[in-house]
Amino acid sequence: MAEIWTIGRILKWTEHFFAERGIESPRLDAEILLVHVLKKERIYLYIHFDEPLEQAELAAFRALVKKRAARVPVALILGEKEFMGLRFKVTKDTLVPRPDTEILVQTAIERLTARMGRQAAGTRVRFADIGTGTGAVALSVLHELADAEAETVDLSPAARAVAEENAAALGLAERIIFHTGDLLAPLTGEYDAILSNPPYIPDGDIAGLSPEVRASEPHTALAGGADGLDFYRRLCAGAPAILKAGGFMAFEVGIHQAEAVAALAQKNPLIERTEILRDYAGVERVVVGWRA
């Protein structure tokens, strides 16, 4: 007689299995993988905890558990990640969108909205997203602002292809242009805002990252040079020249980097003032520089 595995039993076993292997959120990861297999919402697991799983469901779930135990991120196992209430395709060629980056998106939405309020009705704002990856930042802003247009740049053609797929899936492809290239180089014209979540981890810290990040996410999307500030130096030097008067640049930064990045922005004579914004945990997470 085949052993019976109920939803509650398999979740409890998997939680313990993951915890033994040092996985940070063992219960949550087990639930996310199981609802993916069952094609249900998470609340279903609690209402039907004593429901037995079919053999095909068990086999599919165990295959996902094996990948997670090997420290493959959940988002890469499923091939998608939710961000700002939207679903984005992710691959090994893109950074997985993180909740901290929502602060950058919210910063852009609020300031672009205020800027639109000072312009003639029907005037569209134009912004650029540098190092776009999945396109999560640019596409989330576009989703909220119907009168906005965007351009994105990424060094990786594979990442650009993922971002283009996400734009099409979200019905936003008509308002966004994708470039493959190095930082600001492909951009022409002037912009109301320049946004970026660039690589900012100091090179020496890469080896100490979790296995999920170190082994599964692209090195080029993580490493920011000896002190983690290489890309900010280049952005602060070049971005203000392509901002419209009164426009802004907004960058996500790592822990303890905000003051240094704000200082880099202030060194550019075109930048009139800077702001530093905190994330949900109180960490200084976004630096904004305003052009005069």
Side-chain angles (χ1 to χ4, degrees):
M1 182 177 178
E3 189 175 12
I4 297 175
W5 285 91
T6 64
I7 286 175
R9 184 185 177 199
I10 197 71
L11 284 175
K12 186 175 181 179
W13 183 92
T14 307
E15 179 182 6
H16 181 70
F17 180 70
F18 282 167
E20 284 186 327
R21 280 150 184 80
I23 290 172
E24 188 174 333
S25 50
R27 177 70 181 201
L28 176 62
D29 289 2
E31 291 180 3
I32 291 173
L33 295 177
L34 187 54
V35 296
H36 178 77
V37 168
L38 299 178
K39 296 180 173 55
K40 304 289 186 180
E41 299 293 331
R42 280 176 62 199
I43 188 64
Y44 183 91
L45 304 179
Y46 293 90
I47 297 173
H48 301 271
F49 67 94
D50 57 352
E51 178 181 302
L53 297 175
E54 298 177 2
Q55 287 304 308
E57 293 170 337
L58 274 173
F61 180 66
R62 284 169 175 156
L64 301 187
V65 168
K66 184 176 180 180
K67 290 181 180 180
R68 186 67 187 104
R71 305 306 288 267
V72 178
V74 170
L76 290 183
I77 293 173
L78 304 184
E80 62 182 25
K81 177 71 173 181
E82 185 175 307
F83 178 81
M84 293 292 294
L86 304 174
R87 201 162 294 280
F88 291 89
K89 176 181 178 178
V90 297
T91 73
K92 61 181 179 59
D93 299 303
T94 64
L95 200 68
V96 175
R98 290 158 167 78
D100 289 340
T101 305
E102 293 185 1
I103 306 303
L104 175 61
V105 173
Q106 290 167 350
T107 296
I109 291 170
E110 290 168 3
R111 283 149 187 78
L112 286 171
T113 298
R115 189 166 173 81
M116 285 189 290
R118 295 189 294 269
Q119 298 180 162
T123 302
R124 284 189 165 182
V125 291
R126 184 183 183 210
F127 70 92
D129 175 29
I130 311 303
T132 197
T134 61
V137 169
L139 294 170
S140 295
V141 174
L142 289 181
H143 181 262
E144 292 297 322
L145 301 181
D147 290 327
E149 296 176 339
E151 294 185 45
T152 75
V153 182
D154 203 288
L155 191 62
S156 165
R160 171 183 170 168
V162 173
E164 288 178 324
E165 283 189 54
N166 284 325
L170 293 169
L172 298 169
E174 291 184 359
R175 290 193 283 131
I176 189 165
I177 298 170
F178 297 92
H179 302 284
T180 301
D182 183 29
L183 289 185
L184 304 167
L187 300 179
T188 59
E190 292 184 316
Y191 301 85
D192 294 280
I194 304 290
L195 313 178
S196 186
N197 176 20
Y200 56 66
I201 298 173
D203 292 347
D205 293 350
I206 298 293
L209 297 175
S210 71
E212 286 88 344
V213 176
R214 186 180 65 247
S216 298
E217 298 193 78
H219 182 83
T220 54
L222 299 169
D227 61 359
L229 301 179
D230 280 4
F231 291 92
Y232 299 111
R233 291 187 179 93
R234 295 176 61 195
L235 288 167
C236 289
I242 57 173
L243 284 174
K244 295 177 183 178
F248 65 92
M249 54 187 190
F251 309 139
E252 180 175 328
V253 300
I255 295 175
H256 306 311
Q257 291 179 331
E259 292 289 347
V261 173
L264 288 171
Q266 289 163 355
K267 284 176 62 177
N268 191 308
L270 295 175
I271 294 300
E272 180 180 51
R273 60 187 174 90
T274 59
E275 298 177 77
I276 294 176
L277 305 169
R278 297 178 183 271
D279 65 16
Y280 305 122
V283 175
E284 294 179 334
R285 185 58 67 184
V286 171
V287 174
V288 181
W290 292 89
R291 172 156 181 172

